[in-house]
C-alpha cells in the first residue's frame, strides 16, 4: 500500500470516529444528557483533529514541492472528513436547541 493510500485510510478512520461521536452526542442531548453530549462533542473534535493532522501533512508535502498522486481513496477521504466536520458543527447547534428547549 502506498503512502497516500495509508494516509487516506487514517483520515477516513478518524473522520468516521468523529462523525459517530457527533451523532451520539445528538442522541444524548435528545435524552437530556448534556454532560455526555458535551463529552462526545469534545471527543468528536479530538478525532477530527487527528484526521485534519493527516490532511495537513499531505498539504505540507504538496506545498514543499513533493507532488502527490491523487487516487479515488484520497478523494473519498477528503469528502469523508469535510462531511464529518459539518456533522460535528451541526451537532453543536442541535445540542443547543435541545438545551434551550
Amino acid at each position: 500500500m502506498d503512502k497516500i493510500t495509508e494516509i487516506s485510510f487514517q483520515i477516513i478512520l478518524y473522520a468516521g470516529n468523529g462523525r459517530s461521536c457527533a451523532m451520539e452526542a445528538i442522541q444524548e442531548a435528545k435524552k437530556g444528557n448534556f454532560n455526555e453530549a458535551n463529552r462526545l462533542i469534545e471527543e468528536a473534535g479530538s478525532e477530527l483533529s487527528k484526521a485534519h493532522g493527516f490532511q495537513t501533512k499531505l498539504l505540507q508535502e504538496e506545498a514543499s514541492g513533493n507532488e502527490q498522486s491523487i487516487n479515488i481513496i484520497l478523494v473519498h477521504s477528503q469528502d469523508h472528513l469535510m462531511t464529518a466536520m459539518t456533522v460535528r458543527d451541526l451537532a453543536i447547534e442541535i445540542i443547543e436547541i435541545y438545551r434551550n428547549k
Side-chain angles (χ1 to χ4, degrees):
M1 188 180 320
D2 69 349
K3 178 182 170 186
I4 294 295
T5 302
E6 286 181 33
I7 291 173
S8 297
F9 281 128
Q10 292 298 315
I11 292 169
I12 291 167
L13 169 72
Y14 291 118
N17 290 347
R19 181 187 175 285
S20 293
C21 288
M23 293 301 292
E24 287 178 44
I26 293 169
Q27 295 306 310
E28 290 301 322
K30 189 185 290 188
K31 294 185 242 176
N33 299 331
F34 297 108
N35 287 337
E36 182 63 7
N38 292 339
R39 186 193 71 74
L40 285 162
I41 286 296
E42 289 296 320
E43 188 175 341
S46 176
E47 292 295 299
L48 292 172
S49 288
K50 292 173 189 174
H52 192 262
F54 282 101
Q55 180 189 50
T56 300
K57 181 189 286 189
L58 289 175
L59 292 170
Q60 288 171 337
E61 287 283 322
E62 184 87 14
S64 296
N66 300 324
E67 290 189 27
Q68 308 289 329
S69 62
I70 296 175
N71 61 35
I72 194 67
I73 296 170
L74 176 60
V75 172
H76 176 67
S77 75
Q78 296 303 293
D79 181 50
H80 206 60
L81 176 56
M82 301 318 317
T83 302
M85 293 172 86
T86 301
V87 168
R88 191 260 331 259
D89 293 346
L90 288 173
I92 291 168
E93 295 302 319
I94 292 167
I95 290 166
E96 282 304 306
I97 291 169
Y98 280 120
R99 190 184 323 269
N100 296 321
K101 193 169 128 176

